Amino acid sequence: MEFKYDPQNRRLIEGWNLIFYDTEDTIHLSMEEYEQLAFDFNWNGMIDCAFRTYHRGIEAGYKELIPLLGELYEQNDDLENAYRCYLEAALINDLNGIKNLSRMYKKGIYVQKDEKKAKKLNMLTKKR
């Protein structure tokens, strides 16, 4: 079997190394690549690296990663930071952020249960 160079995989490996070793080097990855790296770190139990990856992706301008960072916080029982991420994402009209914020109000996760707020937030997602 012949080995073929996979440039995307190479970029992911280089990004993985930079984030894992926590250098300040600039990483030129797409939003999807940041998301994949964070998923891989999380899957492998490297939670701190997953957090760093999301933060670096957000700093690079990929605001779509904010609700995913919130989900990682929520998975790790840091509900205050999860709420903050969802709220920040909702304020920039990110659908995932709005949906997660609605769910928190509906179920009373970290916030006081409020069906009306949950419904209003849910309506915002249906208008799109």
Side-chain angles (χ1 to χ4, degrees), residues 97-110:
I98 295 169
K99 287 177 184 178
N100 282 318
L101 195 58
S102 174
R103 179 182 50 79
M104 288 185 96
Y105 278 106
K106 184 176 182 174
K107 295 182 178 185
I109 300 170
Y110 182 71

Side-chain angles (χ1 to χ4, degrees), residues 50-61:
F51 280 116
R52 267 187 263 150
T53 304
Y54 280 130
H55 282 286
R56 281 196 167 194
I58 293 165
E59 288 169 8

Side-chain angles (χ1 to χ4, degrees), residues 20-100:
F20 180 74
Y21 293 109
D22 199 23
T23 68
E24 295 301 319
D25 293 350
T26 303
I27 306 170
H28 301 286
L29 299 175
S30 69
M31 195 272 301
E32 292 80 12
E33 290 170 324
Y34 275 107
E35 184 178 356
Q36 182 64 50
L37 277 175
F39 177 84
D40 289 347
F41 281 130
N42 190 28
W43 182 259
N44 287 297
M46 302 168 74
I47 307 304
D48 289 343
C49 291
F51 280 116
R52 267 187 263 150
T53 304
Y54 280 130
H55 282 286
R56 281 196 167 194
I58 293 165
E59 288 169 8
Y62 300 116
K63 302 296 183 191
E64 302 92 337
L65 296 173
I66 296 171
L68 298 175
L69 175 61
E71 290 172 9
L72 186 61
Y73 277 122
E74 192 170 353
Q75 278 179 348
N76 288 280
D77 295 322
D78 186 347
L79 298 179
E80 180 180 357
N81 279 319
Y83 174 79
R84 288 180 183 193
C85 287
Y86 298 151
L87 182 59
E88 184 178 346
L91 290 173
I92 60 171
N93 292 318
D94 182 276
L95 287 177
N96 290 325
I98 295 169
K99 287 177 184 178
N100 282 318

Side-chain angles (χ1 to χ4, degrees), residues 5-21:
Y5 177 72
D6 180 357
Q8 180 185 10
N9 190 41
R10 183 73 206 152
R11 287 184 58 193
L12 287 173
I13 291 169
E14 289 167 358
W16 194 91
N17 283 327
L18 286 173
I19 291 166
F20 180 74
Y21 293 109

